[in-house]
Amino acid sequence: MPSLTPPVPKLPIYGQPSSDGRRHWQSLDALAAEPATAPSPEFPEGADSPPDGLARRTFLQILGASTALASLDACRPPRQKIIPYVRPPEKPLLPNTAVHYASALTLNGYATGVLVTSYDGRPTKVEGNPDHPSSLGGVGMHELATLLDLYDPRRAKGFRRGQSTLAYRSLLRELSALAATHQADGGARLRFLLGANASPLLAELKKRIQQRFPRARFHAYEAAGHDAEREGARLAFGRALDVRHRLDEARVLLSLDADFLCHGPDGLRLAREFSAHRESGPEMSRLYVAEAHLSVTGAAADHRFRLKPSEVLGFGRAVAARLASTHGLGALAPLVGPTRLAREANAVADDLFRSRGRSLVLAGSRQPAAVHALAHALNAALGNAGRTVEYAPAVYDEATGPGELAALAADAAAGKIDTLVITAANPVYTAPGDVDLAAALAKVPNTIYLALREDETSPRCTWNLAAAHPFETWGDARGHDGTVSIVQPLIQPLFESLSEVEVLASFVDAADAGAWTILRESWQRRRGGGNFAGDWDRWLARGVVPDTATVAEPAAPRFDAVAAAVRAAPASAAGLEASFVPDTKLLDGRFAENAWLQELPDPITKITWDNAAYLAPATAKKLGVENGSKVELRLGGNKIEAAVWTVPGHAEDVVTLPLGYGRRRAGPVGTGVGFDVAPLRTAATPWFAPGLAVAPLGRAKHAFAPTQEHFSMEGRDIALLFDAKAFGPEKIEHLRGPVPTIQKPVDYSKEPYKWGMGIDLTKCTGCSSCAVACQAENNIPVVGKEQVLRSREMNWLRIDRYFTGSPEDPQLVAQPMMCQHCETAPCEYVCPVNATVHSDEGLNEMVYNRCVGTRYCSNNCPYKVRRFNFLDYRGDMSPTEKMVMNPDVTVRTRGVMEKCSYCVQRIERARIGSRVEGRKIKDGEFTTACAQACPANAIVFGNLADPESAVSKLHQSERRYDVLHELGTRPRTAYLVRLRNPNPELT
Amino acid sequence: MATYVLAEFKDEAALCAAARRMRELGQKQLDAYSPVPVHGIDEALGLPKSKVPLIALIGGLSGAVGGYVMQWWMNGVDYPLNVANRGAHAPPANIPITFESAILLASIAIVLAVILLSGLPRLHHPVFDVEGFRTASLDGLWLSAEVPAAEGEGVVRELQKLGATQVERVAEEQR
Amino acid sequence: MSATRTNTALDRKGLDELEGAPVLVGRPSDKELTHELFQPVWGEMRRGWLALFGICVGVSGLLFAAIGYTFAKGIGAWGNNIPVAWGFGIINFVWWIGIGHAGTLISAILLLFQQKWRTSINRFAEAMTLFAVMQALLFPLIHLGRPQFFWWLFPYPSTLGVWPNFKSPLLWDVFAVSTYFTVSLLFWYVGLLPDLAALRDSSKKRGARIAYGIFALGWKGSAKAWRHYRIAYLLLAGLATPLVLSVHTIVSFDFAVSQLPGWHTTIFPPYFVAGAIFSGFAMVLTLIIPARKVFHFEHVITQRHLDNMAKVLLATGLMVSYGYMCEHFIAWYSGNKYESFVFFQTRQRGPFAPVYWLMMFCNVIVPQIFWSKRLRENLMVVWVASILVNVGMWTERFNIIVTSLHRDFLPSSWAMYRPTWVDWSIFVGTLGFFGALFLLFLRFVPSVSASEVKELRRELDHEAHAIAHPPAHGVGRGG
Amino acid sequence: MSALFRPRANTAFRLVLILLGGGAVGALGGAMIWARVPAGTGQQEPLLQPVQFDHRHHVVDDGIDCRYCHTSVERGPSAGIPSTALCMNCHAQIWNKSPRLEPVRESYFSGQPIPWVRVHRLPDFVYFNHSIHIAKGVGCETCHGRVDQMPAVEQVAPLTMSWCLECHRNPKPFLRPLDQVTTMGWTPQGDPAALGRELEKKYEVHSRTSCTTCHR
């Protein structure tokens, strides 16, 4: 792949001062040396690196391969080879030592800053970038799981036009020639369909293309975009504004169907700010959520109002009515309307008013613009604007909704398009039922599709180009607040591929320079003068370009326009309503081929490897169906088949249908998993529509694979939930403190460290980032649906979900559960071979290489957190799949028990590092993967021997208790009871 | 070279009486053979008490001591580990194996003792050269005397006199 | 159970009335006994035997194929999961070990208690013990995740410098079961020596004679050897008796020492031992009733033997029932919510409730029929009941292991257990393997100890004599 | 008169029994011995390398310190194998025509690395870190032996777990002053035991035997 080699880019390491010295970087893919893709079986790029001789040559792991590809092999294998550098890089990387690079990942338009851990040139882990305003150090499941996509051996490779394969150079030549044919009519028959992306570079390229082809048109499409937010702001304020919530100021929150803690461009930051104010006391915030399906945010709510999606607007209007009538907020008077939950609406309104200026109304992206406008009006009337909510010029303002796609399809079907470039994510699959994009594409002579994988759209397109993974290419991106990040590659493309930047650049004949040059020159122009090279290095090192955030500006809503829109919105109709939601894990289906996410239990239902038609138990009863029943769903003229699953707390007469499943052409992971609900959507009603008909099919039941089948605590003190006002430490006195024992407790005070963990259930939203982070950090295998059905999932960290109260309006607790590192661990004394014992610092160690697999430890573990390699889950890894392995963690073989180790590899790294330097490990110097990922700071890890450490403080909290304390296991992981802050008027 | 004189008797009383008589006559190398143990034959032949119980005791004691010491040394001394906060040397947990190893060693000692003390394994023995001796394991009662070749004839006569139903002489073969 | 023979006030007739049928019908001579008891060994192959053996070998083939498949695929071939990390493997292990208790018990304990009715069935029962323990021994090995490292369970000096964990009940198990197997084998073999010698001296074919001769080690039945042998056999019995009790006690520790509700119970050791005897005797009955018929051993293995065994079933069945009662009572009385949940919710009303009720039926209800003498005398009834008891004891282990595990402390981790075809193949396969070994035993080894029956006949003669003249009669072999 | 067995059967049978028993014991014992002898552990096996690199010459004659080539030994888990460029630092000037160094030049100019044969290999589940050992005064020689006397490098230590434990349980006899870490043939001055105690204290040596020290 000589042509793909970026010239001489360099990668300043995160957190290190950068130098102006030229440090050159090429790739390390000899690790991957796949005969199929490499020109010569070994060291392909050694042979074809640029002649300046400064590029870094192959570095095959010096000690790495053995550990990276570790298996527990007892025999004496043949002598291995050690492959050193030919010429070391100027600043050689220490072999087998992690370095972190800052980059950014864009999802649905906006970027989240990440730090990527790289071993010997292999990215192995994604962390949040604490310097990035949308991450603050937290990271979401999608950013984490992106890594797995990078190494997917079934990614698209190379470039195809029709049946013929194109090399990189000839592809660029042909694209260039194709572009030239559009020159004559100014590109009138040239169209682009892009995904949402606020990237300045893409914007610039679009501008350049537009200059060359003034009549060419750009469309944007996201199956689950944020159009309504932008539209709502435009409606309310008359201009394109981004809404920036400031939850650190908010004390009373009303979410109108907004799953802001999980979905949304700023979810990580909002989760952190929200959780920061869930401490008991007068400052404890209160969250009301009006929604149909239980969302992560709904599960965190103090009060949930179960409403059809179409009723949410009415609820908001009723709140407005109370505010207008009782509290004298006259401006809201034109907005008022009725709701069936009047008592609740009144109470919410009273509460919002009491905290005016410190309250906040949020609207969900599935709700129409009118609801967003209503929220703006409410916030303005309550005096929240400028305090708990800010408005700033839109970072990205293009229509990305299904309307755009419908218009494009219509033009295509009418034969108005000769060339269509598609970089949007799989539009043929995500298109609503009434947009026949597949048929329309057939009418376009040249359809150029850039995608990471072959998917439903690929066969409909005449050109299929393999897209480079974000970790393989250069680019830029903007966070929700406008902060720019440079996207830098961590590895040379594993497969022949190119980036969106290069595709667009080829239409202005600029692709030859490569993404790096295009990007750098673009920023050089923008920055102008100064010490650009130095700035550039600093941007890369820090992961953000300073002073690029948008500045908030005052904005006042036009109440009359809002009122008009609100009144024009259709009223809620009786009968069954279909409600479409982007799936928590797969979103619109773009992560369907990601096995980590497929196997991750849904945060609420705990279902893996499936979606379902979710409905309330009462509705299910009415329809005569139960969990697993197959049904036919009809809406408008369209119908699909699906299986139902009941969810306590789901609104009645609504069927929630998550997008992203039922992929027909995804790959071995995602194809045929779940049910495709997109055919029921229409461009006009993409998110909810009345008139759904459900007919049970009465056939054999669908086998769902939930990781948790029982959601009641059976009256046991497991995940504790108290009303903040009713809680006192005496209520949990029996769940902590010393237990009577005949064993003299081991004295851990001789060691400088005593590791422990604290998990604050009040902060935990159950978003599941930690579970994916753990999977990535600890080389945890994916086992597949069959094995999950057999209850053999491997996640070391699971998030237990308990429902209490009535099935109609349950209260929920999410409880991250992993090895508790009991000081008197029941697992240890039953192991016949001493494969699980205690360390001098109190860790419950699991020694894989000693384990013979009696599984007795698991039987005796009251928390059932041990995982067993029932089958060889690692046997048939491709070379690239092996590259995702963390070389610091042994890859477990078949027949071995495993479990959470408190990320002991990180402990040992930190210990060795500090001891070589002759100092002690500082609190916060490192933490476990789960704690690091947690957007809500719910998990804290550290040294209990240090009374000042964060974890010690959690352990001393009056909310602290031990799970199954009465067993006397003395766990090192303490939980803090979950507190709710209900409104006394509603209880 | 020794000669074995074998005599079959038709009942136990006769066998015991013959044995006693032969011993009175100064025969030392006597033995009796029967499909089941014969009452009183031990005294008749003047056999000492068996050493098997002592050997069993030694085996059992060394099993118990060895078993316990093994556990104490391996878990408590050589590689003490913190296993679930239990002491590295945990006496109550060591009881079962101490007991089992005592039984095991005692049993093995007993079996080895009974085999070796009985002069087994010995597939061939001069007495097997007598075809009729095959009844000894089925329903016959035999008495044997190991005598110098020269005395053989006298012993044969003596045994016939004691009521043996048949008497055979067999010389120990050169090995 | 039976009148002691020191009760000399009763005459022979009275004794017989009290004890029921005689332990030996008639007074056959040594020659007759030799002839009868060795007939199955001397005789030609029978077609029925061959057919049965063929079936059993076929089923054993299934066992080894399933084991091979397990080794190739991993434990994932079974239905085990988390939380039910032990499934059929350990159920079968405990079940077979339990069955393997009757032999040594009959031999050793009844010998110590001088029960004459032991004599005709002890060889049979001991062989059954050995073969059952062999089945059981398979499981600790094949249920390992990494069976290739099974030897790490033994305390040998390794270059790793690490040792096994002597605090683990599984390690106790390793010692207990291997000791039990070794001692049972030695006990059986020592008991077999005189008969092997007898076969050496009586077999028709020279090849057979040589084979038996090698195993007989040159046993001549000499008084010098008998002198050691008698005391050794008695000592072995004396050692085997506590061993039997200890082995199932230790097996029960696998459960009792853990803290899982449903396992963590102090009643387990006695209740497991009683259960083991219960199932062991049931298995002896299941096997001996047809064998006795086929080999015409009715006058050696008499109605008296069967009757006594049925009574043992009743007695141990009552003990097992008492164990169940205790478990439930303590679960309620202790107020432990986890334990009472297991006993009053999970077992009785959970998804495996049918197994629980089947266990209750087979182990508590079925033995009650043995209160009736008439039913005890009906061979068919006894045979069917013995099979039901075996089924019941298997379901008991299922209840203890699977039902307790599948719903423990945290409801979030509750899950179902579904055995796979491999689980069933291994279970059924062990039955076939056991059957094959047992058929080999019936064919090549005297299934009733000829030398001991001969001795018994002498004892009975003495007794008859002693009715009139209370003697200081000698003990039998080891007696 | 025909006994079933001949007299010599006694000896033969006893011999067979002894052989069976002895064979079983011998097989087990043999395996245990094999795991401990150099042939079994891979010690004392000088390996043929693609370049005939002679440590004797470089260390003794040229007096090059270990760290000149094994650059990351003080900072990272692995000591590091020198790049071809490092060889060429000197060999561009001296011996630059030697046919023995042809593979080095070949590598340098073609960009193909030299495939050295690994001498010391720990199992994949063992995480050994050079830097901490160097920082606490464990000499190169302690594990790697007198490399300065090896024409071709061989493994001198058994690299078994019990060998590791020997030092981790009592590191004192194996410590040396930090400035002597790379010295070959260093012997302590004065009382070795006292020096060991002193160094252990001075460097805060805290060797651990918890499993996760090495297995993660």
Side-chain angles (χ1 to χ4, degrees), chain A residues 716 792 800 830 855-856 966, chain C residues 78 85 168 254 338 409 412:
Chain A
R716 303 171 182 184
R792 291 173 181 167
D800 291 346
V830 297
R855 307 185 293 290
Y856 198 175
E966 65 270 44
Chain C
W78 299 2
S168 167
D254 287 349
Y338 306 110
F409 293 100
S412 61

Side-chain angles (χ1 to χ4, degrees), chain A residues 371-568:
Chain A
V371 176
H372 290 264
L374 174 66
H376 298 319
L378 285 168
N379 282 329
L382 286 164
N384 297 332
R387 298 189 65 181
T388 58
V389 58
E390 293 173 345
Y391 304 99
V395 167
Y396 178 79
D397 185 31
E398 285 177 39
T400 63
E404 274 297 293
L405 194 68
L408 174 72
D411 284 356
K416 292 184 189 163
I417 304 176
D418 279 348
T419 300
L420 174 60
V421 179
I422 305 173
T423 63
N426 199 5
V428 166
Y429 163 77
T430 57
D434 61 347
V435 178
D436 193 354
L437 187 64
L441 289 180
K443 301 268 176 58
V444 181
N446 285 302
T447 38
I448 302 169
Y449 184 44
L450 178 78
L452 196 65
R453 293 191 181 87
E454 289 269 315
D455 56 28
E456 287 84 345
T457 309
S458 308
R460 309 292 182 183
C461 295
T462 53
W463 300 50
N464 278 289
L465 316 183
H469 189 275
F471 289 160
E472 294 175 329
T473 187
W474 289 93
D476 57 12
R478 294 190 85 178
H480 187 252
D481 73 342
T483 301
V484 172
S485 297
I486 304 294
V487 175
Q488 60 175 335
L490 286 121
I491 191 165
Q492 196 187 27
L494 294 164
F495 309 110
E496 197 171 22
S497 56
L498 81 173
S499 64
E500 189 177 6
V501 168
E502 287 163 301
V503 172
L504 294 187
S506 68
F507 280 82
V508 288
D509 289 338
D512 282 358
W516 182 75
T517 312
I518 300 170
L519 175 73
R520 203 163 185 277
E521 284 173 357
S522 158
W523 277 98
Q524 207 153 12
R525 272 196 301 280
R526 208 164 307 173
R527 197 69 178 179
N531 176 10
F532 177 72
D535 286 348
W536 176 259
D537 277 3
R538 266 190 294 280
W539 299 346
L540 289 185
R542 223 181 129 217
V544 292
V545 179
D547 308 325
T548 45
T550 49
V551 181
E553 58 186 46
R558 305 173 304 181
F559 286 94
D560 49 342
V562 175
V566 164
R567 278 196 298 269

Side-chain angles (χ1 to χ4, degrees), chain B residues 29-135:
Chain B
Q29 305 297 323
L30 291 173
D31 204 348
Y33 309 89
S34 52
V36 298
V38 173
H39 283 306
I41 194 73
D42 290 5
E43 315 141 49
L45 290 171
L47 295 176
K49 282 199 87 163
S50 172
K51 293 261 192 306
V52 169
L54 181 66
I55 293 170
L57 181 69
I58 293 168
L61 282 178
S62 51
V65 173
Y68 196 93
V69 167
M70 170 183 79
Q71 298 177 75
W72 162 75
W73 183 79
M74 288 176 180
N75 274 184
V77 178
D78 188 49
Y79 204 153
L81 284 160
N82 175 0
V83 171
N85 205 111
R86 274 109 175 115
H89 172 219
N94 294 351
I95 295 169
I97 290 180
T98 305
F99 176 79
E100 297 298 328
S101 50
I103 300 267
L104 182 67
L105 258 73
S107 304
I108 290 174
I110 290 168
V111 174
L112 285 180
V114 75
I115 288 174
L116 297 177
L117 289 179
S118 309
L120 302 178
R122 186 170 182 184
L123 298 187
H124 173 267
H125 191 275
V127 296
F128 288 139
D129 284 339
V130 178
E131 182 65 24
F133 184 74
R134 278 166 70 176
T135 59

Side-chain angles (χ1 to χ4, degrees), chain A residues 72-74 707-718 787 789-793 798 800-802 815 817 826 828-834 836 848-856 858-872 893-897 963-964 966-967 969, chain C residues 70-87 90 143-150 152-153 156 158 160 162-171 253-260 263 337-338 341-342 405 407-420:
Chain A
L72 305 178
D73 201 331
T707 57
Q708 185 177 349
E709 293 166 3
H710 205 89
F711 294 93
S712 155
M713 275 183 270
E714 299 293 345
R716 303 171 182 184
D717 296 328
I718 299 168
Q787 293 296 307
L789 274 170
R790 285 208 167 273
S791 228
R792 291 173 181 167
E793 62 275 6
R798 64 171 198 260
D800 291 346
R801 173 68 77 184
Y802 295 105
Q815 184 175 44
M817 180 55 68
E828 289 178 4
Y829 68 87
V830 297
C831 175
V833 291
N834 273 329
T836 185
Y848 313 121
N849 43 306
R850 178 67 177 168
C851 178
V852 294
T854 67
R855 307 185 293 290
Y856 198 175
S858 169
N859 288 343
N860 211 26
C861 172
Y863 309 95
K864 287 290 175 285
V865 291
R866 290 178 157 261
R867 300 288 177 238
F868 187 68
N869 288 273
F870 281 99
L871 297 172
D872 183 5
T893 186
R894 190 188 89 193
V896 167
M897 192 59 79
V963 175
L964 301 180
E966 65 270 44
L967 295 181
T969 52
Chain C
T70 306
F71 284 171
K73 284 274 288 188
I75 290 301
W78 299 2
N80 299 30
N81 58 24
I82 306 290
V84 189
W86 286 354
I90 302 296
H143 105 288
L144 290 182
R146 298 202 295 169
Q148 67 267 37
F149 294 122
F150 76 96
W152 285 353
L153 292 163
Y156 72 100
S158 114
L160 305 175
V162 292
W163 302 105
N165 176 16
F166 292 106
K167 295 171 192 77
S168 167
L170 277 191
L171 206 70
F253 283 166
D254 287 349
F255 307 102
V257 166
S258 87
Q259 39 70 307
L260 188 83
W263 287 15
K337 55 194 165 198
Y338 306 110
F341 191 88
V342 166
L405 277 172
R407 293 191 167 177
D408 68 337
F409 293 100
L410 300 188
S412 61
S413 52
W414 293 1
M416 276 302 284
Y417 167 80
R418 288 174 203 87
T420 64

Side-chain angles (χ1 to χ4, degrees), chain B residues 118-171:
Chain B
S118 309
L120 302 178
R122 186 170 182 184
L123 298 187
H124 173 267
H125 191 275
V127 296
F128 288 139
D129 284 339
V130 178
E131 182 65 24
F133 184 74
R134 278 166 70 176
T135 59
S137 63
L138 302 170
D139 43 22
L141 299 168
W142 290 77
L143 187 71
S144 81
E146 189 186 346
V147 295
E151 296 173 23
E153 206 51 44
V155 175
V156 169
R157 270 198 305 280
E158 192 60 40
L159 284 167
Q160 277 165 341
K161 222 185 306 174
L162 287 167
T165 49
Q166 61 168 317
V167 181
E168 302 273 356
R169 266 183 73 181
V170 57

Side-chain angles (χ1 to χ4, degrees), chain C residues 94 98 245 248-249 252 255-256 262-279 316-328 343 347 356 359-360 363-364 392-393 395-401 404:
Chain C
V94 179
L245 301 182
H248 226 63
T249 298
S252 83
F255 307 102
W263 287 15
H264 183 69
T265 314
T266 44
I267 191 75
F268 263 14
Y271 143 46
F272 263 55
V273 170
I277 298 165
F278 187 46
S279 65
T316 49
L318 288 172
M319 290 183 210
V320 167
S321 308
Y322 175 73
Y324 297 159
M325 234 174 65
C326 272
E327 278 185 327
H328 288 78
F343 284 99
R347 294 213 177 154
Y356 173 84
M359 167 188 96
M360 284 297 176
N363 293 354
V364 179
M393 287 310 290
T395 55
E396 180 196 297
R397 276 63 183 251
F398 186 96
N399 254 309
I400 291 170
I401 294 169
S404 304

Side-chain angles (χ1 to χ4, degrees), chain C residues 94-355:
Chain C
V94 179
W95 188 65
W96 278 116
I97 274 282
I99 288 171
H101 274 61
T104 310
L105 187 98
I106 289 171
S107 264
I109 297 186
L110 298 188
L111 179 72
L112 291 185
F113 288 129
Q114 306 182 353
Q115 294 296 317
K116 285 194 289 295
W117 61 277
R118 115 185 223 284
T119 308
S120 321
I121 54 171
N122 73 331
R123 167 78 44 78
F124 200 90
E126 281 170 48
M128 188 209 70
T129 286
L130 278 180
F131 304 141
V133 174
M134 279 167 78
Q135 310 310 316
L137 275 172
L138 278 175
F139 288 101
L141 175 67
I142 64 172
H143 105 288
L144 290 182
R146 298 202 295 169
Q148 67 267 37
F149 294 122
F150 76 96
W151 31 276
W152 285 353
L153 292 163
F154 297 98
Y156 72 100
S158 114
T159 56
L160 305 175
V162 292
W163 302 105
N165 176 16
F166 292 106
K167 295 171 192 77
S168 167
L170 277 191
L171 206 70
W172 309 345
D173 243 14
V174 168
F175 278 81
V177 178
S178 54
T179 299
Y180 184 55
F181 180 72
T182 312
V183 173
S184 297
L185 183 66
L186 293 174
F187 192 47
W188 184 69
Y189 181 67
V190 167
L192 202 52
L193 268 180
D195 274 7
L196 287 170
L199 280 168
R200 172 196 63 202
D201 294 336
S202 66
S203 287
K204 310 281 187 279
K205 295 191 186 117
R206 189 175 159 77
R209 290 189 61 202
I210 289 177
Y212 288 120
I214 285 172
F215 283 105
L217 301 177
W219 178 263
K220 308 184 284 292
S222 93
K224 286 176 180 166
W226 278 125
R227 167 177 61 119
H228 301 303
Y229 183 96
R230 276 167 50 193
I231 189 76
Y233 199 72
L234 189 65
L235 283 173
L236 278 178
L239 290 173
T241 303
L243 178 66
V244 178
L245 301 182
S246 82
V247 171
H248 226 63
T249 298
I250 288 173
V251 169
S252 83
F253 283 166
D254 287 349
F255 307 102
V257 166
S258 87
Q259 39 70 307
L260 188 83
W263 287 15
H264 183 69
T265 314
T266 44
I267 191 75
F268 263 14
Y271 143 46
F272 263 55
V273 170
I277 298 165
F278 187 46
S279 65
F281 271 89
M283 187 57 105
V284 171
L285 277 171
T286 309
L287 294 172
I288 215 164
I289 289 174
R292 166 179 183 264
K293 180 113 187 115
V294 170
F295 295 132
H296 310 295
F297 284 169
E298 282 92 346
H299 60 286
V300 182
I301 302 166
T302 66
Q303 199 65 49
R304 167 83 180 285
H305 293 100
L306 304 181
D307 191 64
N308 277 358
M309 284 196 272
K311 284 176 185 161
V312 171
L313 276 193
L314 175 60
T316 49
L318 288 172
M319 290 183 210
V320 167
S321 308
Y322 175 73
Y324 297 159
M325 234 174 65
C326 272
E327 278 185 327
H328 288 78
F329 172 75
I330 295 294
W332 166 77
Y333 186 69
S334 67
N336 183 316
K337 55 194 165 198
Y338 306 110
E339 209 165 307
S340 54
F341 191 88
V342 166
F343 284 99
F344 299 111
Q345 302 277 328
T346 315
R347 294 213 177 154
Q348 294 173 10
R349 277 173 265 168
F352 294 118
V355 182

